[in-house]
Amino acid sequence: MRQPLYVTDALAVGYTAIHRQPFILLFSIGLSVYLWLGRAIGLALPPNDVQGIVAQWLGTLHAIDARTLLLITNMIPFLAPGPAAMLPPPIYLPVAQFVSAVVILNLIALSLSSSFMVLLRQMLLNERPAWKITLIRSLTVAYRLAGLFGIVGGVLGPLLGLSVLIGFYIPATIPFIYNGWILLGIFGLIGFGLTPEIITLHNERPVAALRKSWQLARQRWFAIATFLAVCAVVEVGFAQIWHALATQPGLLALAIIGNAYIGSGLRAARLQFYRAHAATVALS
């Protein structure tokens, strides 16, 4: 029996929910406006007495905007400023303050993302609970998403560190390490990529949500891969359009709103896609 894909149905339901309650776009719009008009946060160059690999790493991080590192916990679609964007002069912070800024930004992103996901859930399910219930749900989702990110970081962090060390001391292994991380990323996205949706919809604990995501992937591997591929093509394709518009005079607002619409609809579609498939399989 052919397995249903639910790709177009999920997209239709997701964007219908956005049309009904377009206020949800404010999350994405606000985040994109901050990234485009706010000041970048960089790491100050190391003092002259710092040498070796530490100096190299600090020098590399000097060119990174700390605000872009909120990708760690952020699930709100945003339009990232490109190299041609006109930004205010960046703020350069010492190591301790830079790390603190990254942590604070990710805590804020986690809180906003949890509220964003919970509101999408309530829109899809046509729920209109009191604001206190929404707040409690958001806090619960934030707590469990934090646990999820902790688990993922605890597994991938040591692997990443080992990969960096091997690549640094044995440069010939870098292509193999790079391809290995690509394969691991694809496998992880298909097998465990719907975990945040499971936490949001079913209030599952992180380990249970990971297990359910894997159980669903084992039975719907092709369907999930197809859906995620379609979402990636749509998001990446439109991202090129939005970035092209954003660099044109007077079109930044249009690009930010367009990106918010496409990205938020895809995030709602992910929730609906999981709901549709979870209803057809037995997950324990």
Side-chain angles (χ1 to χ4, degrees), residues 4-11 13-14 117 121 124-125 189-220 223-225 227-228 231 265-284:
L5 296 180
Y6 300 116
V7 175
T8 55
D9 292 339
L11 291 171
V13 172
M117 294 292 288
R121 170 191 185 272
L124 287 174
L125 300 180
L189 284 175
I190 299 174
F192 303 104
L194 294 175
T195 304
E197 283 72 23
I198 296 173
I199 291 175
T200 303
L201 285 168
H202 301 308
N203 198 27
E204 291 283 2
R205 298 180 184 276
V207 174
L210 286 166
R211 184 175 63 250
K212 283 192 174 183
S213 181
W214 175 245
Q215 289 176 345
L216 179 64
R218 289 174 59 190
Q219 301 180 61
R220 298 288 189 267
I224 294 174
F227 175 74
L228 294 179
C231 289
L266 290 177
R267 179 56 69 176
R270 287 172 63 98
L271 286 166
Q272 175 59 27
F273 179 83
Y274 170 76
R275 285 182 63 210
H277 275 283
T280 65
V281 299
L283 301 177
S284 59

Side-chain angles (χ1 to χ4, degrees), residues 135-179:
L135 178 60
I136 292 173
R137 286 176 176 173
S138 299
L139 292 174
T140 302
V141 169
Y143 173 74
R144 294 187 172 171
L145 285 176
L148 171 65
F149 294 132
I151 293 172
V152 174
V155 173
L156 297 183
L159 290 176
L160 179 59
L162 181 61
S163 299
V164 170
L165 288 175
I166 294 175
F168 182 79
Y169 289 106
I170 312 176
T173 63
I174 291 178
F176 300 99
I177 294 174
Y178 180 76
N179 291 328

Side-chain angles (χ1 to χ4, degrees), residues 21-45:
Q21 301 187 48
F23 76 89
I24 198 71
L25 300 180
L26 293 177
F27 282 88
S28 178
I29 292 171
L31 184 57
S32 296
V33 168
Y34 165 65
L35 291 173
W36 278 83
L37 303 182
R39 296 184 68 179
I41 302 173
L43 178 65
L45 287 172

